Amino acid sequence: MDRRTPSPERRLLFDTLCDYVEQIRSEGMEGLPLGTTSPARIAQTREPAHPETRETAAIDAPASDRIVPKTQIETEQMFSRYPGLEKTTTLEELREFIGDCERCKLCKSRTQVVFGVGNSKAELMFVGEGPGAEEDARGEPFVGRAGQLLTDIIERGMGMKRSDVYIANVVKCRPPGNRNPEPDEVAACEPFLARQVELVKPRVIVALGTFAAQALLRVKTPISKLRGIWHEVGGVRTMPTFHPAYLLRNPGDKRLVWLDIQEVMKELGRPVPRRGKP
Ligand code: URA
C-alpha cells in the first residue's frame, strides 16, 4: 500500500496519533521522535538526502513546530534533589557544586570526577556514556581509543576543532570494569548533565551510543532504531548515533555515523566536507 496517499481512515488515524503524541510531548514526555507531522506536510517534504537517514518532515517544519521545551516542572523536580544546583550560572560553578562527589557508589572506585571539556558556549555538544580507564586517570572525557575516533569524527569528518565543541558523559565517574552505569548511578548524575546542557545551551546534542541515547531520551529503544532520527531533549535537537567504541569493533557502520553527522552539519548550517569521512 502506498503510504504517501493514505485513505481517509488512515489519515484520520495518523492525525489522531499525531495529536496524542503532541499532547504527551507538551506534558513533558521526553524522547519522542520529531516526525509527528500530518501526511499533508509529509507530502510537501523533500526526500531524505540519504535513504539510511530516516529524516522526517520535522526537519522542514517551522522551528516552532519542532522543539518543545522540557517542562519547567520536570527540570525543577530533577534539580530539587540538589538544592542550589539551579543557582550555578557557569560550568565552573557547576563543577565546584559537584565537588568531590559522593552522591552514588561510583565514588568508591573512581580516581576522580570527569566533568566535561570544551567550549562552554559550544553550539554542538557530544554526550557519551561514562569515563573509561584513561578518562578516569586523566580527568577528561574521551581521551582513550574511542576518544581518538571521536576527535577524528569532529576534526577530520566535520572540519571543526575538538575545542569548538563540548563533550560530557551521562555519568561523571568511571563504572568499575567499564560496566554499564546502573539506574541509581544515572539518576544521581542526571541533574548535572541537565544543568550542563542548560549552561552550554548547545543548538544540537549528539548522543553517542545506546546508553547516552536511552538516558537522554528516557526510552529503552535500541540505538539502531534511534539513530538517524532527530529527537529533542530539553528543547535541544538531539541526534543519536553509534558510540565510537562500537565503531572500533564494527568499522563498517562508520558509514551510518557519517550520515548522522552530515545531518548534524546541515542542522548547524555548516558545510559538509566532501572527503571528510573519518
Ligand atoms: N566512552 C564514553 O562513553 N565516554 C568517555 O569519556 C570515554 C569512553
Side-chain angles (χ1 to χ4, degrees), residues 104-110 171 173-176 179 181 185:
C104 87
K105 59 189 181 301
L106 289 180
C107 68
K108 298 200 184 93
S109 50
R110 62 121 204 269
V171 294
C173 296
R174 183 193 180 204
R179 66 159 167 76
E185 297 157 357

Side-chain angles (χ1 to χ4, degrees), residues 128-132 135 140-143 146 169 243:
E129 175 176 326
E135 290 77 18
E140 182 174 331
F142 282 99
V143 289
N169 281 309
H243 193 285

